[in-house]
């Protein structure tokens, strides 16, 4: 694997690096990031050849966009691709912020769902101001299911849906901007694949940010969703390749999976994967970051990072040599779906 290798997204000349940087850490997810550390992290990523950066208004309630914008302002704008999201509108917060939120020490703002045309246009304008840029390369419609499958694992993926509103208001507005060349690519960002498949059939999308649902731990999407994306020429950006923690830390005490403490069956599965890693002298992190690229639909992964040192470490994992026999043993042990294509194999 080569971190700096470029992958096409859409049909308007846009390319992204296949190893990219997600912006949740810049929004103080789980822990506070100092301003200088944020600037240094962006600089380290750029110096390492990373040229695609993802963020969203939700991440730290605008803080991630502000920090990423300040960090990237030192570099030529045409050298990087930036994606942000629409769907969450930032509004003044009423009352006290809940202590169980995943973003800490953030502005006194709250996020509400609004997929109307006016809200989308205002959101993009505010994002560009925070990002210090006159354009957004990739615009992703964020959580039209209100993140229900993440907040309530195992729940009906359609129990909350803004599908009709998105296709009637959000999509036409963004499609118009794309046709005018204001944005280069249009997609959605979600933590489930079922509703994304419906969007793939309903509109002309360039890419989907699929968070946590095509990883070394989860491959259910390989049966229906990923083949559909190949058919429609929709590229996949893999968010959460570490499944929010456990594939980076291993099966340690308090390991996180989907942003909460990992359930026992997940812990046991990771321990089995770690045993195969040990037999082949492969880093768990390397396996997690490289696995998605077995599938031709995948264009990029966007792990987050809390420091330049984490970026350097992740790139080293991404470029680590992994023998084909390792992947084959994972499959023979039932740890990878039989239908999932393996890295290094045609």
């Amino acid at each position: 694997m080569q971190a700096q290798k470029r992958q096409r997204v859409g049909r308007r000349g846009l390319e992204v690096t296949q190893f990219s940087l997600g912006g949740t850490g810049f929004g103080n997810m789980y822990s506070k990031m100092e301003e200088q550390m944020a600037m240094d992290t962006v600089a380290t990523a750029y110096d390492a050849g990373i040229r695609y950066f993802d963020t969203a208004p939700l991440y730290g309630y605008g803080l991630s966009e502000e920090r990423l914008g300040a960090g990237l302002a030192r570099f030529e704008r045409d050298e990087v691709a930036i994606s942000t999201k629409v769907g969450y509108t930032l509004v003044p917060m009423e009352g006290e912020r809940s202590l169980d939120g995943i973003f800490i020490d953030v502005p006194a703002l709250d996020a509400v769902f609004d997929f109307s045309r006016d809200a989308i246009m205002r959101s993009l304008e505010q994002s560009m101001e925070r990002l210090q840029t006159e354009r957004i390369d990739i615009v992703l419609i964020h959580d039209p299911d209100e993140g229900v499958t993440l907040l309530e694992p195992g729940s009906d993926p359609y129990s909350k849906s803004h599908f009709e509103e998105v296709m009637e208001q959000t999509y036409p507005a963004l499609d118009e901007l794309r046709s005018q060349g204001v944005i280069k690519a249009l997609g959605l960002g979600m933590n489930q694949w079922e509703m994304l498949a419906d969007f793939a059939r309903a509109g002309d999308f360039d890419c989907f940010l699929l968070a946590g649902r095509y990883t070394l731990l989860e491959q259910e999407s390989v049966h229906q969703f990923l083949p559909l994306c190949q058919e429609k020429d929709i590229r996949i950006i893999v968010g959460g390749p570490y499944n929010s923690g456990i594939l980076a830390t291993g099966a340690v005490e308090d390991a996180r999976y989907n942003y909460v403490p990992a359930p026992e069956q997940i812990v046991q599965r990771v321990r089995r994967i770690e045993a195969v890693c040990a037999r082949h002298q492969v880093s768990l992190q390397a396996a997690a970051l490289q696995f998605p690229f077995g599938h031709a639909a995948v264009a990029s992964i966007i792990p987050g990072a809390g420091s330049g040192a984490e970026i350097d470490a992740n790139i080293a994992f991404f470029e680590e040599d992994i023998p084909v026999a390792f992947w084959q043993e994972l499959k023979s042990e039932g740890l990878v779906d039989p239908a999932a294509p393996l890295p290094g194999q045609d």
Side-chain angles (χ1 to χ4, degrees), residues 44-287:
T44 299
Y46 187 89
D47 291 343
I50 293 175
R51 293 295 184 269
Y52 170 40
F53 300 82
D54 173 72
T55 185
L58 178 65
Y59 303 161
Y61 303 94
L63 187 61
S64 174
E65 289 184 320
E66 289 178 357
R67 287 173 165 175
L68 183 59
L72 289 177
R74 295 169 288 178
F75 307 112
E76 288 292 330
R77 178 64 181 86
D78 289 343
E79 289 295 310
V80 300
I82 299 173
S83 63
T84 194
K85 306 178 183 72
V86 295
Y88 287 94
T89 294
L90 299 183
V91 298
M93 187 177 63
E94 297 181 2
E96 298 294 325
R97 190 177 302 283
S98 171
L99 296 178
D100 60 0
I102 64 174
F103 298 108
I104 66 171
D105 197 8
V106 292
L109 298 170
D110 205 351
V112 297
F113 290 102
D114 192 339
F115 294 93
S116 67
R117 181 186 179 93
D118 288 346
I120 294 306
M121 294 304 188
R122 286 197 306 272
S123 179
L124 278 178
E125 183 178 350
Q126 293 165 2
S127 288
M128 287 188 287
E129 183 177 343
R130 287 189 290 264
L131 285 163
Q132 301 181 38
T133 184
E134 295 180 350
R135 71 179 191 274
I136 306 296
D137 300 288
I138 304 174
V139 176
L140 301 167
I141 303 165
H142 203 180
D143 286 349
D145 65 344
E146 300 190 13
V148 64
T149 58
L150 192 62
L151 299 173
E152 304 170 20
S155 62
D156 177 3
Y158 298 96
S159 61
K160 294 183 180 179
S161 175
H162 295 270
F163 184 90
E164 291 185 3
E165 185 180 5
V166 166
M167 291 308 301
E168 291 174 359
Q169 296 197 50
T170 314
Y171 173 75
L174 296 177
D175 187 34
E176 181 180 338
L177 293 179
R178 181 176 56 179
S179 67
Q180 295 170 350
V182 177
I183 64 177
K184 293 183 179 179
L186 168 57
L188 292 104
M190 300 180 71
N191 292 281
Q192 59 150 299
W193 61 266
E194 293 90 343
M195 194 180 293
L196 282 180
D198 293 337
F199 280 111
R201 299 184 186 98
D204 176 18
F205 293 98
D206 299 295
C207 57
F208 291 148
L209 198 169
L210 179 64
R213 305 286 81 81
Y214 191 65
T215 69
L216 190 60
L217 275 175
E218 296 187 40
Q219 299 102 44
E220 183 181 340
S221 59
V222 77
H223 296 282
Q224 300 177 36
F225 175 64
L226 293 183
L228 175 63
C229 289
Q230 284 187 287
E231 175 189 336
K232 299 284 188 178
D233 193 22
I234 299 171
R235 304 307 305 277
I236 298 299
I237 300 160
V238 173
Y242 286 139
N243 277 115
S244 79
I246 193 166
L247 289 176
T249 64
V252 299
E253 186 177 358
D254 297 327
R256 288 182 175 270
Y257 168 78
N258 284 353
Y259 306 102
V260 297
E264 183 61 25
Q265 68 268 26
I266 294 295
V267 172
Q268 292 301 323
R269 187 175 184 85
V270 172
R271 284 182 178 146
R272 292 180 61 199
I273 294 173
E274 287 181 295
V276 180
C277 287
R279 286 196 287 273
H280 292 269
Q281 296 183 310
V282 169
S283 304
L284 174 66
Q285 299 93 330

Side-chain angles (χ1 to χ4, degrees), residues 1-6 16-20 48-51 300 314-316 318-319:
M1 297 288 180
Q2 294 179 323
Q4 299 176 17
K5 184 177 179 180
R6 301 295 183 107
V16 299
T17 45
Q18 58 182 12
F19 185 95
S20 305
I50 293 175
R51 293 295 184 269
S300 186
N314 279 336
I315 290 178
F318 187 71
E319 296 184 341

